[in-house]
Amino acid sequence: MSEHWGALLDGVYLSGGDGSRFPSQLRGFLTAPPDGLGLPEMTVDDYTPLASDGTVRDAGFYPGRVITLTLTVGGRDCDIATVRRRVSDIAAAWTRRCESVDLSIFAPPMVSGTPWDIAGPYVVRGKPRQALVSWRRGKNVIADLTLRFDGDDWLLGQADEDGVRVYDCYDVPIEVLDSTMCYAPTMCYAPTMCYDTSISPPSPDALDNLGNACVPILLTFTGDFPSQATVEITSAFSPLRTLYFAGVTGSTGPITLDTSTGRAYNTDGDDFTGLFSGDTRAAIAPGQSHLRLRTVAAVTGTVQACANSGVVSA
């Protein structure tokens, strides 16, 4: 059952029986496929009103998924020092963290041309939580381990053949508004930025989400933005999403807004979240999404948008 499945975290690879993938990083063998790759149990705000029949169906959301791995290390005629070292490496990879990390999940190989959302590999963002170790009694040196990894959310992201998260990126087109665009406004962002959003079509370039789940994006602003700018995001089957950037000079270095958290930082780790407002937690729907930046003054900067495709279940 576990053959050809695999998991990789911090250079520690756990195999389902095929040791040809990452042989130098192999530390143990899975005894079952990873558990927790389906949809986690939904948390709902349903409630039953007093003195009435039925239940009111209210908001619902998915918590972070929990990935559980069961494996063995060692076997007949294994050197005890080698087995102990491998168990130690696994336990070290699963120690608690201050920051979230990526756990890569490899599914059994499929025929060529199988879409990524079915074939994988996948990556889960979160934190390792537990590494239970039980040594078997007897002359053979064998340890049974149970590992737990808690995802930040329920998304399974796209990864490449090495288990590294894959991003689709493109440069967001910048449109400078002039006085001819300030008539019959349908949306007003500020007294000096009042215009009809249907004046020009979005760029033919698009950000691709190859999965079946809505995913966050990364927006990186580089260079000078002397005045307020508006970023519009149009996805299929999704309403227009809008966020605002207050503007900044290039001396701060590139600033990246991560809409999974709504936080923005530069390369030095300085917090610039206060420069953004509006829909800073915007996500893009499956398929193609078009983005554009609109401003009332010429800019010398650039904006890059990146997204990691995601699925709801493996």
Side-chain angles (χ1 to χ4, degrees):
M1 287 289 292
S2 62
E3 187 176 3
H4 299 302
W5 284 92
L8 178 67
L9 177 66
D10 273 4
V12 171
Y13 179 63
L14 309 173
S15 171
D18 180 10
S20 61
R21 184 190 289 135
F22 312 125
S24 63
Q25 298 173 303
L26 180 62
R27 295 295 183 271
F29 291 92
L30 299 173
T31 58
D35 184 54
L37 297 183
L39 278 173
E41 183 177 358
M42 182 181 290
T43 299
V44 298
D45 293 331
D46 300 347
Y47 65 96
T48 302
L50 294 175
S52 65
D53 296 329
T55 298
V56 175
R57 301 296 181 184
D58 214 327
F61 61 92
Y62 292 113
R65 65 174 66 247
V66 177
I67 304 293
T68 304
L69 306 173
T70 56
L71 61 141
T72 61
V73 180
R76 181 178 299 178
D77 300 326
C78 286
D79 175 66
I80 186 171
T82 301
V83 175
R84 291 286 296 272
R85 171 55 61 188
R86 291 181 176 179
V87 171
S88 177
D89 290 344
I90 296 172
W94 256 261
T95 55
R96 65 186 295 264
R97 312 294 179 89
C98 296
E99 301 292 338
S100 296
V101 293
D102 282 343
L103 170 67
S104 302
I105 302 292
F106 299 89
M110 301 183 185
V111 297
S112 178
T114 301
W116 158 79
D117 58 334
I118 300 296
Y122 311 101
V123 63
V124 183
R125 189 74 173 172
K127 296 180 179 179
R129 291 298 191 192
Q130 187 180 61
L132 296 179
V133 181
S134 177
W135 293 96
R136 296 185 190 179
R137 297 179 179 179
K139 62 180 181 178
N140 296 322
V141 185
I142 301 176
D144 295 308
L145 289 86
T146 301
L147 308 176
R148 172 175 165 169
F149 186 93
D150 289 10
D152 291 342
D153 53 33
W154 49 276
L155 280 175
L156 291 172
Q158 181 183 14
D160 62 18
E161 60 182 10
D162 294 322
V164 178
R165 188 180 294 271
V166 175
Y167 286 95
D168 176 57
C169 299
Y170 89 119
D171 291 332
V172 177
I174 297 176
E175 181 177 317
V176 179
L177 303 176
D178 58 37
S179 59
T180 63
M181 296 181 180
C182 290
Y183 64 91
T186 59
M187 301 185 73
C188 293
Y189 302 103
T192 58
M193 290 189 66
C194 206
Y195 58 88
D196 188 339
T197 57
S198 63
I199 286 176
S200 60
S203 166
D205 294 330
L207 201 58
D208 292 320
N209 177 4
L210 304 179
N212 56 18
C214 293
V215 298
I217 59 177
L218 298 174
L219 287 172
T220 300
F221 295 77
T222 304
D224 292 324
F225 292 84
S227 62
Q228 178 175 309
T230 302
V231 177
E232 298 175 351
I233 305 171
T234 306
S235 299
F237 312 111
S238 178
L240 175 72
R241 314 297 292 269
T242 306
L243 59 91
Y244 314 111
F245 179 48
V248 72
T249 61
S251 59
T252 61
I255 297 174
T256 298
L257 171 68
D258 184 351
T259 66
S260 67
T261 62
R263 309 291 292 180
Y265 298 91
N266 66 1
T267 52
D268 294 328
D270 300 322
D271 193 333
F272 285 88
T273 304
L275 295 178
F276 296 88
S277 59
D279 200 347
T280 58
R281 300 295 299 271
I284 61 171
Q288 290 191 329
S289 294
H290 300 276
L291 290 83
R292 62 183 172 186
L293 181 140
R294 289 180 144 184
T295 179
V296 295
V299 300
T300 58
T302 60
V303 183
Q304 185 182 64
C306 296
N308 174 240
S309 299
V311 295
V312 299
S313 180

